[in-house]
């Protein structure tokens, strides 16, 4: 069996692939001071496996907080708490951590600011739940839509609702222009926590709306748990797979490499990934599940 697998999988470097790839994790995924190690590891792997690709890795979660706590955004969303900008910047100063009272004061300022930002957003869009909360070291994103259903995801990213998402303006003003400027061929989004689900599909939908030729790949621990649902050949999944080209399941290094090789070689709008394991994708208007256990 091992020899058979070696014949079908090329584990060595492939210099023929020349793509521009963005690896990113969307908010809300973790405290911005504690980035997840998975994407830097994956970047290192791709640098070895596809040496002529350009791989850029961005923590869109951490960058969001530099955006939302900027003086510009605070003046619009929490005008009486523009001091939150200084409290945010202080998190990067070693001296702060020598004074417990200063740490607590700055942390409370950030908690209050995020609450005010969320309330402002709800009032502006007539919402009841949409917002971000910070308590202790825990950031929580609460979407207006039901996060645990495919119907909820599709409702949240629908063009009539997309602007109501608290991350929409950040994506529109910062992330989408960055993708356009760098002319990425592929955007890979890692979904490893519940709170990332709607923000990740929202970004995917915005990419497909404005840059339909850009391939969007999703992977990660959390989304892999729902392979039994996402592999169903039904109308809900067909709609989801118009936002995402491929979902890579479980340990994704080898299948991601093979997906990227297929993208590089393909001239068609639809990807034929029948020879790639651990992927779910849409082909010929059918949801295909290649998750062979070997």
């Amino acid at each position: 069996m091992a020899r058979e697998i070696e014949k079908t999988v090329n584990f060595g470097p492939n210099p023929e692939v020349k793509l521009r790839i963005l690896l990113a994790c969307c908010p809300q995924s973790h405290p911005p001071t504690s980035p997840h190690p998975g994407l830097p590891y994956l970047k290192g792997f791709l640098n070895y496996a596809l040496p002529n690709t350009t791989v850029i890795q961005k923590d869109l979660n951490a960058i969001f907080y530099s955006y939302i706590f900027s003086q510009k955004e605070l003046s619009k969303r929490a005008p009486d708490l523009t001091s939150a900008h200084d409290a945010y910047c202080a998190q990067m100063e070693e001296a702060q951590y020598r004074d417990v009272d200063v740490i607590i004061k700055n942390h409370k300022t950030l908690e209050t600011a995020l609450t005010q930002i969320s309330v402002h957003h709800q009032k502006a869009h007539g919402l009841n739940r949409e917002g971000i909360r910070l308590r202790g070291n825990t950031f929580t994103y609460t979407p207006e839509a039901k996060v645990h259903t495919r119907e909820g995801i599709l409702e949240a990213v629908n063009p009539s609702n997309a602007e109501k998402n608290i991350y929409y303006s950040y994506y529109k003003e910062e992330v989408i222009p960055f993708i356009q400027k760098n002319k990425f061929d592929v955007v890979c989004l890692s979904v490893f926590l519940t709170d990332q689900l709607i923000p990740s599909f929202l970004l995917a939908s915005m990419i497909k709306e404005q840059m339909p030729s850009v391939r969007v790949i999703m992977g990660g621990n959390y989304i892999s748990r729902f392979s039994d649902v996402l592999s169903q050949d039904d109308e809900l999944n067909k709609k989801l797979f118009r936002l995402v080209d491929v979902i890579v399941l479980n340990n994704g290094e080898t299948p991601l490499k093979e997906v990227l090789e297929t993208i590089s070689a393909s001239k068609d709008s639809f990807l034929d990934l029948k020879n790639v394991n651990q992927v779910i994708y849409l082909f010929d208007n059918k949801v295909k599940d290649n998750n062979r256990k070997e």
Side-chain angles (χ1 to χ4, degrees), residues 214-266:
V214 174
R215 302 289 190 179
V216 179
I217 302 173
M218 275 192 190
N221 170 50
Y222 186 77
I223 203 164
S224 294
R225 300 180 196 180
F226 302 101
S227 60
D228 57 334
V229 176
L230 293 170
S231 61
Q232 296 173 15
D233 185 27
D234 59 22
E235 289 306 312
L236 289 174
N237 282 338
K238 288 177 182 179
K239 291 178 180 179
L240 286 176
F241 278 100
R242 291 185 175 93
L243 309 176
V244 177
D245 293 279
V246 188
I247 290 178
V248 176
L249 302 171
N250 305 315
N251 296 334
E253 299 92 326
T254 297
L256 177 58
K257 175 179 181 283
E258 294 178 330
V259 169
L260 293 172
E261 288 172 331
T262 303
I263 290 172
S264 178
S266 177

Side-chain angles (χ1 to χ4, degrees), residues 111-123:
E111 286 185 358
T112 304
L114 279 180
T115 299
Q116 286 198 17
I117 288 167
S118 298
V119 170
H120 174 273
H121 184 82
Q122 291 166 9
K123 289 180 178 179

Side-chain angles (χ1 to χ4, degrees), residues 112-216:
T112 304
L114 279 180
T115 299
Q116 286 198 17
I117 288 167
S118 298
V119 170
H120 174 273
H121 184 82
Q122 291 166 9
K123 289 180 178 179
H125 295 279
L127 305 173
N128 298 313
R129 291 161 42 87
E130 184 82 22
I132 310 164
R133 175 176 172 170
L134 170 61
R135 293 295 182 269
N137 197 37
T138 302
F139 291 78
T140 304
Y141 164 59
T142 303
E144 196 74 10
K146 294 180 180 178
V147 67
H148 289 106
T149 67
R150 293 175 295 166
E151 293 90 344
I153 294 171
L154 290 167
E155 176 188 351
V157 305
N158 186 290
S160 62
N161 294 323
E163 293 187 27
K164 299 176 184 178
N165 189 283
I166 201 165
Y167 300 111
Y168 178 85
S169 62
Y170 164 59
Y171 289 162
K172 180 180 179 181
E173 296 171 16
E174 301 289 334
V175 181
I176 294 296
F178 174 78
I179 295 171
Q180 291 172 326
K181 179 181 178 181
N182 285 276
K183 298 180 180 179
F184 289 111
D185 302 295
V186 183
V187 176
C188 302
L189 303 176
S190 179
V191 183
F192 49 86
L193 289 175
T194 310
D195 288 1
Q196 292 176 278
L197 201 55
I198 284 178
S200 296
F201 273 99
L202 174 64
L203 179 56
S205 71
M206 294 173 71
I207 292 170
K208 285 300 184 182
E209 179 183 8
Q210 299 193 40
M211 296 164 282
S213 64
V214 174
R215 302 289 190 179
V216 179

Side-chain angles (χ1 to χ4, degrees), residues 8-15 17 19 21 42 45-46 48-51 53 188 217 248 251-264 273 276-277 279:
T8 59
V9 178
N10 179 13
F11 290 99
N14 182 350
V17 178
L19 297 171
I21 303 164
L42 192 56
F45 170 78
L46 291 178
Y48 162 77
L50 304 174
T53 60
C188 302
I217 302 173
V248 176
N251 296 334
E253 299 92 326
T254 297
L256 177 58
K257 175 179 181 283
E258 294 178 330
V259 169
L260 293 172
E261 288 172 331
T262 303
I263 290 172
S264 178
L273 300 171
V276 180
N277 196 11
V279 293

